[in-house]
Amino acid sequence: MSIRLRFGLACGGVFLLVGALVLAGLYLVVRQTLEPRRGLMTPEYINTQNGFFGKGSRGYEITAERAATVRRVYQSDALANVRTYGALIVLGGAVASVGVGYGAAGWGLRPLRAVTRTARRVAQGHDLTGRIGYKGSSDELEELAGIFDTMLGRLARSFDGQRRFVANASHELRTPLTINRTLVDVAVRRPEATDDVKRLGESLLLVNARHERLIDGLLALAEGENSVLDRRPFDLTDVAEHVLDAVAAEAAEREVTIHRLLDTAPTAGEAVLVERLVQNLVENAIRHNHVKGEVWVTTRQRAEQVELVVANTGLQVPPYEIEAIFEPFRRLHGDRLRSDRGSGLGLSIVRVIAEAHHGTVAARPREEGGLTITVELPVQH
């Protein structure tokens, strides 16, 4: 129920209550007014067209009784009219009060609607530089708009600080790992390197690669949670085709067959982040599979949503473990040490990116083994 309607109903209720009290008071006044007065109905004599009757005579009694009956009839009719017409007037006034209150509330809330439109535009546009900038009388609404603008300013500064931190962390964390990889690679390739040194170097390169993937995952997770999306239209099918072409070699190496079922799926957002989402899902489907396994990638449009569905064969997945796979560093089947299968952030990043695009992600186990993961994003008309 809107504020306007509640205010209108409140006005109608107040009018009904006050009108009922006034009607009750008026009813009592009219009733008291029409009550007989002492001495007025029992005069010493009565003069009528039929003659002059003194007190105590038969004609006097008949005439007095007739007058009392007329008084009672008029009193009853008058009180009935007060009840009936008064109640109708009160009910009509209550209904009118609802309409008047509804209109008055609309007039009073007009500045609030302007503030709401501005706040919605800022929220939907993800532009934290926007402000309400309410210019009006010094009242509670101006105070609320000022507080909201202050909050937007603090949020903008906070996001800017986080973006700078992510950029600095990206540089500071990646640089030493790149240097380590180069040094180990040079040491392994030396002619005098022994077999033990080469095996050690290969192990170090694997550990280094795992750390690089972990850092990339953490940075992507932070970027997906904190980024302000610059929403631009693109086709999810184009992104899926690009990712599938990129992972074709890895799929062939692992002897995994990929089936493409790609229909047009227009959406909007940051295509780079959505590409990371698709890449994580497809790579998981390939790596968490078995030899001669299969992967099905589907894109399609349904009503106001576009869907990306990635299904794969593999080990049986218990239903109670489904929600856990979207948590950071959680893997199925206790597989924490297999660095070739990722850092444990893949599906966490998928969920964050989907939610940043106002979408959803859900997973369900396949009866034959493996998973079916569905991502829904808003359609772009």
Side-chain angles (χ1 to χ4, degrees):
M1 186 182 296
S2 65
I3 294 178
R4 291 184 66 184
L5 183 56
R6 288 201 298 268
F7 186 81
L9 293 176
C11 290
V14 170
F15 186 94
L16 187 64
L17 178 61
V18 174
L21 293 176
V22 171
L23 179 61
L26 179 63
Y27 180 86
L28 294 176
V29 170
V30 172
R31 180 177 179 179
Q32 180 64 28
T33 302
L34 296 178
E35 287 293 324
R37 299 294 186 268
R38 178 179 299 179
L40 181 62
M41 298 301 295
T42 56
E44 293 297 326
Y45 60 89
I46 298 176
N47 187 12
T48 67
Q49 293 179 352
N50 297 324
F52 184 85
F53 302 102
K55 193 173 183 179
S57 65
R58 178 63 179 170
Y60 183 95
E61 296 296 333
I62 294 174
T63 304
E65 181 64 27
R66 178 63 178 170
T69 301
V70 170
R71 182 200 63 78
R72 287 195 297 270
V73 170
Y74 274 98
Q75 183 186 44
S76 176
D77 289 345
L79 293 178
N81 288 335
V82 169
R83 290 194 303 268
T84 303
Y85 293 109
L88 292 176
I89 292 173
V90 170
L91 290 176
V95 173
S97 297
V98 172
V100 173
Y102 187 83
W107 175 80
L109 294 174
R110 188 181 304 166
L112 182 60
R113 289 199 297 271
V115 172
T116 302
R117 285 194 299 269
T118 304
R120 183 181 295 111
R121 184 174 64 251
V122 171
Q124 294 178 347
H126 301 280
D127 181 13
L128 295 180
T129 61
R131 297 292 182 272
I132 294 177
Y134 176 73
K135 303 297 181 182
S137 58
S138 299
D139 53 13
E140 294 83 356
L141 189 57
E142 183 185 27
E143 182 180 0
L144 175 62
I147 293 174
F148 191 84
D149 285 343
T150 302
M151 180 183 65
L152 284 177
R154 296 182 64 179
L155 286 175
R157 290 192 296 272
S158 175
F159 280 118
D160 288 340
Q162 289 180 355
R163 280 193 291 268
R164 287 194 297 270
F165 171 78
V166 168
N168 294 334
S170 174
H171 175 75
E172 294 296 332
L173 293 175
R174 283 182 176 141
T175 299
L177 290 176
T178 303
I179 294 174
N180 289 343
R181 185 178 67 249
T182 303
L183 293 176
V184 173
D185 189 59
V186 170
V188 170
R189 294 179 183 275
R190 286 181 179 178
E192 64 273 17
T194 64
D195 292 339
D196 291 339
V197 171
K198 291 181 180 179
R199 285 193 294 270
L200 178 60
E202 291 174 356
S203 299
L204 290 176
L205 286 175
L206 287 175
V207 173
N208 198 85
R210 182 178 186 277
H211 288 167
E212 287 180 341
R213 288 196 299 270
L214 177 61
I215 290 172
D216 289 340
L218 289 172
L219 293 175
L221 189 63
E223 183 181 4
E225 287 180 337
N226 299 325
S227 62
V228 178
L229 295 177
D230 181 15
R231 300 183 64 82
R232 298 181 181 180
F234 64 91
D235 197 324
L236 184 58
T237 301
D238 297 336
V239 176
E241 288 180 342
H242 174 73
V243 171
L244 291 175
D245 291 340
V247 302
E250 182 179 357
E253 180 183 351
R254 296 175 181 266
E255 300 183 35
V256 173
T257 303
I258 298 180
H259 304 278
R260 305 187 184 194
L261 306 170
L262 306 178
D263 292 332
T264 300
T267 186
E270 290 192 359
V272 174
L273 283 178
V274 175
E275 179 183 343
R276 183 59 180 267
L277 177 151
V278 179
Q279 180 181 350
N280 284 0
L281 288 178
V282 175
E283 287 180 348
N284 273 1
I286 294 173
R287 295 170 184 174
H288 294 274
N289 214 319
H290 51 67
V291 178
K292 307 289 186 184
E294 294 180 283
V295 173
W296 296 268
V297 180
T298 304
T299 58
R300 59 198 174 197
Q301 177 181 343
R302 286 190 173 181
E304 296 301 315
Q305 301 288 330
V306 296
E307 286 185 348
L308 167 69
V309 182
V310 179
N312 65 283
T313 55
L315 297 176
Q316 289 286 344
V317 180
Y320 59 82
E321 289 192 7
I322 289 297
E323 189 61 27
I325 65 177
F326 291 102
E327 299 177 7
F329 305 108
R330 293 293 296 273
R331 299 185 183 89
L332 294 176
H333 313 298
D335 186 18
R336 289 192 58 87
L337 301 177
R338 292 289 301 277
S339 61
D340 61 321
R341 294 194 176 182
S343 59
L345 290 171
L347 293 181
S348 301
I349 295 171
V350 167
R351 169 171 282 182
V352 168
I353 294 175
E355 291 177 350
H357 286 78
H358 308 293
T360 59
V361 57
R364 59 181 176 84
R366 300 177 68 247
E367 293 182 0
E368 305 83 357
L371 284 174
T372 297
I373 298 181
T374 303
V375 176
E376 292 186 347
L377 300 176
V379 70
Q380 176 69 22
H381 295 289

